[in-house]
Amino acid sequence: MIALTGAPVDSRAAAPIPHLVEKDGRYALIVDGKPFTMLGVQAHNSSNYPGALPEVWAAVKDAHANTLEIPVAWEQIEPVEGKFDFSYVDTLVEQARRNKVRLVLLWFGTTKNTSPAYTPEWVKFDNARFPRMIDKDGKVGYCLSPHSEETLKADKRAFVALMGHLKKIDESHRTVIMVQVENEAGTYGNPRDFSPKAEAAFRQAVPQTVLARKKSPISGAASGNWSEVYGAYGDEYFHAYAIASYIGEIAKAGRAVYNLPMYVNAALRDPLEPMAPWKNNFASGGPSHDVIDIYKAAAPAIDIAAPDLYASESSRVSANLELFQRRDNALFVPEMGNSAIYSRYVYQILGRGAIGVAPFGVDYADYTNYPLGSKLTDKTMVEPFGKIYATFRPMAQLWAGWALEGRTGGIAESDARTPQTLSFKDWNVTVSFRQWQLGEQPEKPDMKDIPPGTETPSGGVAVAQIGDNEFVVVGQHARVKIGPTGANAGKSTLYARVEEGRFDESGKWVMTRNWNGDQADHGLNLTGRPAVLKIRMGSY
């Protein structure tokens, strides 16, 4: 291991610190001064130790990922109060540089999947100093209370130490490009803390910063305490404010030391369920779609509320992407299932302009989180994502720039397997599925003779309009047709040129061949091998 603590600072000027930029409600993550698309993978929770990293890096390589998301646990850096051990962080950062991969560090502090499991033992078992939440019946719960100043102080101190260490070892390299603060915060089985301190806060007036952003879904008072303003929603909204304020204080303190972008991830409520008060069906107080405004008000040091996608139905994926992509919230999917059925969503997510995406559990540890993810733990688990990432990676910087300009769109094959259309300036792009490369076959879910690899939904297409009549299309298992609309409506159009190829590392297009005749007469047919097409349309 190369020890990084106290390492001499690189003689070259430090690259600009990673940061988010916004343009007309669209976002890009800037790394080394340029737009960056995170083609990420997230390691398993227990792969955050030096001895486990070889199995992580092997999977990262096979996935062709440019970014690894991996935990740093409070219990591992401060096992004894006030004594910090960053040897794992040093090893991780050094090995990431060696593997030419960026890092997103996941701070598993007070909360990991709502639990204090990753706190040090001196926190975990001292209820007097670090109190847990109390339920309505006065019973002690499993979650640490977000109203505890002592817990906040201890978590903040550890996080600030981590950020200070990152600044010391990485400021001149920028290996670490983003930090997640806590993990899937919230509470299962209890809408909020009912301790005396929490009860007193619940009876206080809702802060003006919250009232300005979060309107009541019912007919409530314009101001007042949480019950008066939000009625039956008051418990959840109050809990969201308490947790967001807690996380926001930690993030603010960390950014004061080393100002990397920071986000929170959400264990999701059902996006298709009609809005209703919490009824023990999701993690109350976490950054679910209905309380993003409260998180924005209470935690301005947090840049993004990000969805963790583990419901594979296309209707739920699409609904969650729609709910979390907002003018004030960049789209970022830091976790989704690692089974093959999720791979097609990479096209939809990146096409929508997300700053990045990462399937969870992508390492070769002997563990699988099925049924949330794949049953597989070897290269066959990685391959569906790896072949997409390998295609996107040479154009990742270009793609991020196009997305920031609002030039991109994306489609994943739906469970209904019906055609879908993307609208661009003066052109529509229509995508259909389960088509052979020649002729017009019926698009029926019960087709008996279907192309190999399309037994289950597996198609996806991402499109960038790079000029008035020019497009870049990347995709698989799909048929693409481009038709006139807008100013081109009523015109007769043809493909002027359809080049298959790739972008090199400098962003220059390298053509492999030009599609014509059979390869273009029945639409542009993309097989199970992801391909990149550069298309120019013409009219007569």
Side-chain angles (χ1 to χ4, degrees):
M1 181 187 88
I2 297 177
L4 299 183
T5 305
V9 175
D10 195 315
S11 59
R12 64 185 174 87
I17 194 166
H19 61 281
L20 286 171
V21 296
E22 181 267 345
K23 181 177 182 179
D24 298 328
R26 302 180 296 270
Y27 292 83
L29 176 65
I30 305 299
V31 176
D32 293 342
K34 301 174 183 177
F36 184 82
T37 300
M38 280 186 281
L39 303 173
V41 296
Q42 185 172 149
H44 282 297
N45 295 159
S46 299
S47 296
N48 59 326
Y49 289 88
L53 290 177
E55 292 176 325
V56 174
W57 297 123
V60 169
K61 181 178 179 181
D62 290 340
H64 299 278
N66 63 16
T67 306
L68 169 65
E69 300 174 11
I70 193 165
V72 175
W74 186 2
E75 66 179 356
Q76 75 182 136
I77 69 164
E78 195 184 9
V80 177
E81 185 172 7
K83 296 183 179 180
F84 293 100
D85 178 1
F86 294 111
S87 57
Y88 155 67
V89 177
D90 291 342
T91 299
L92 174 66
V93 171
E94 187 276 323
Q95 291 186 10
R97 292 176 192 161
R98 190 191 312 164
N99 285 278
K100 298 181 180 179
V101 171
R102 304 286 181 161
L103 292 172
V104 173
L105 298 186
L106 317 177
W107 175 239
F108 286 6
T110 299
T111 301
K112 196 279 171 185
N113 289 18
T114 76
S115 163
Y118 283 79
T119 60
E121 290 186 34
W122 54 269
V123 173
K124 199 175 298 180
F125 302 111
D126 189 348
N127 281 9
R129 184 179 172 194
F130 306 107
R132 284 174 159 77
M133 286 172 45
I134 305 297
D135 69 13
K136 283 185 176 180
D137 299 321
K139 182 180 177 182
V140 175
Y142 73 99
C143 295
L144 293 174
S145 172
H147 299 277
S148 169
E149 293 179 2
E150 189 69 12
T151 312
L152 174 60
K153 182 172 68 174
D155 190 329
K156 186 192 300 185
R157 183 182 64 229
F159 187 68
V160 166
L162 171 63
M163 296 306 295
H165 189 75
L166 289 178
K167 179 180 175 70
K168 184 176 183 180
I169 67 172
D170 199 45
E171 187 175 25
S172 63
H173 294 83
R174 311 300 194 190
T175 312
V176 180
I177 59 174
M178 190 179 290
V179 178
Q180 176 186 293
V181 189
E182 311 299 345
N183 184 86
E184 291 191 358
T187 309
Y188 291 108
N190 200 11
R192 65 173 177 89
D193 189 2
F194 291 88
S195 67
K197 188 172 184 178
E199 282 290 276
F202 184 72
R203 290 191 295 269
Q204 292 177 1
V206 178
Q208 287 297 320
T209 53
V210 175
L211 292 174
R213 296 192 64 119
K214 184 61 180 176
K215 305 307 177 186
S216 179
I218 61 173
S219 180
S223 62
N225 65 33
W226 293 86
S227 288
E228 291 167 339
V229 175
Y230 297 117
Y233 292 86
D235 285 344
E236 181 205 349
Y237 291 3
F238 168 74
H239 198 33
Y241 179 75
I243 293 175
S245 299
Y246 184 100
I247 293 173
E249 283 295 308
I250 294 168
K252 179 181 177 181
R255 295 186 77 152
V257 175
Y258 190 37
N259 191 25
L260 289 176
M262 295 186 183
Y263 71 97
V264 289
N265 63 326
L268 303 176
R269 66 179 299 172
D270 188 341
L272 302 181
E273 176 188 59
M275 186 55 58
W278 183 86
K279 51 181 183 288
N280 203 15
N281 55 340
F282 62 93
S284 177
S288 52
H289 66 80
D290 55 318
V291 294
I292 292 175
D293 284 315
I294 295 176
Y295 270 75
K296 295 292 181 183
I302 293 294
D303 295 292
I304 304 170
D308 290 352
L309 302 179
Y310 289 106
S312 64
E313 301 91 343
S314 60
S315 58
R316 285 182 166 80
V317 169
S318 296
N320 276 315
L321 297 180
E322 185 72 25
L323 289 165
F324 278 84
Q325 185 172 30
R326 304 171 18 149
R327 290 187 65 87
D328 63 352
N329 196 64
L331 182 60
F332 173 42
V333 180
E335 294 186 36
M336 69 178 180
N338 66 345
S339 55
I341 198 73
Y342 286 92
S343 61
R344 72 195 197 271
Y345 295 124
V346 171
Y347 296 105
Q348 182 180 10
I349 292 165
L350 296 184
R352 287 188 67 105
I355 64 169
V357 59
F360 172 79
V362 180
D363 60 51
Y364 294 145
D366 189 19
Y367 179 81
T368 170
N369 67 336
Y370 178 83
L372 290 180
S374 176
K375 294 180 180 179
L376 306 169
T377 60
D378 58 10
K379 287 185 178 182
T380 55
M381 172 266 291
V382 174
E383 184 182 16
F385 299 93
K387 64 183 183 180
I388 300 173
Y389 280 9
T391 306
F392 260 109
R393 186 162 177 172
M395 55 191 288
Q397 181 185 318
L398 286 169
W399 193 269
W402 293 330
L404 182 63
E405 294 292 328
R407 295 177 175 272
T408 65
I411 283 172
E413 184 177 2
S414 71
D415 297 334
R417 319 195 75 169
T418 51
Q420 301 175 55
T421 298
L422 294 169
S423 296
F424 292 91
K425 180 177 180 288
D426 298 330
W427 299 96
N428 282 335
V429 177
T430 299
V431 183
S432 56
F433 307 94
R434 302 187 100 187
Q435 299 272 352
W436 290 95
Q437 292 169 279
L438 188 71
E440 298 288 340
Q441 296 84 35
E443 297 154 341
K444 296 180 180 178
D446 60 349
M447 284 179 63
K448 298 294 188 282
D449 188 15
I450 57 175
T454 65
E455 294 79 11
T456 58
S458 57
V461 169
V463 182
Q465 185 174 25
I466 62 173
D468 285 348
N469 303 313
E470 292 186 88
F471 297 87
V472 170
V473 172
V474 54
Q476 67 186 59
H477 284 314
R479 171 175 287 185
V480 177
K481 292 184 177 181
I482 301 177
T485 188
N488 289 324
K491 294 181 180 179
S492 297
T493 61
L494 282 173
Y495 298 113
R497 195 163 180 85
V498 180
E499 295 183 356
E500 179 185 357
R502 61 181 176 84
F503 289 93
D504 65 17
E505 292 185 359
S506 68
K508 179 182 177 183
W509 175 250
V510 180
M511 185 190 78
T512 302
R513 58 177 178 162
N514 184 52
W515 287 15
N516 211 329
D518 289 345
Q519 284 68 53
D521 287 347
H522 304 279
L524 307 176
N525 292 282
L526 302 164
T527 65
R529 182 183 68 186
V532 183
L533 304 177
K534 189 168 182 284
I535 303 163
R536 187 171 73 253
M537 300 299 298
S539 62
Y540 61 94

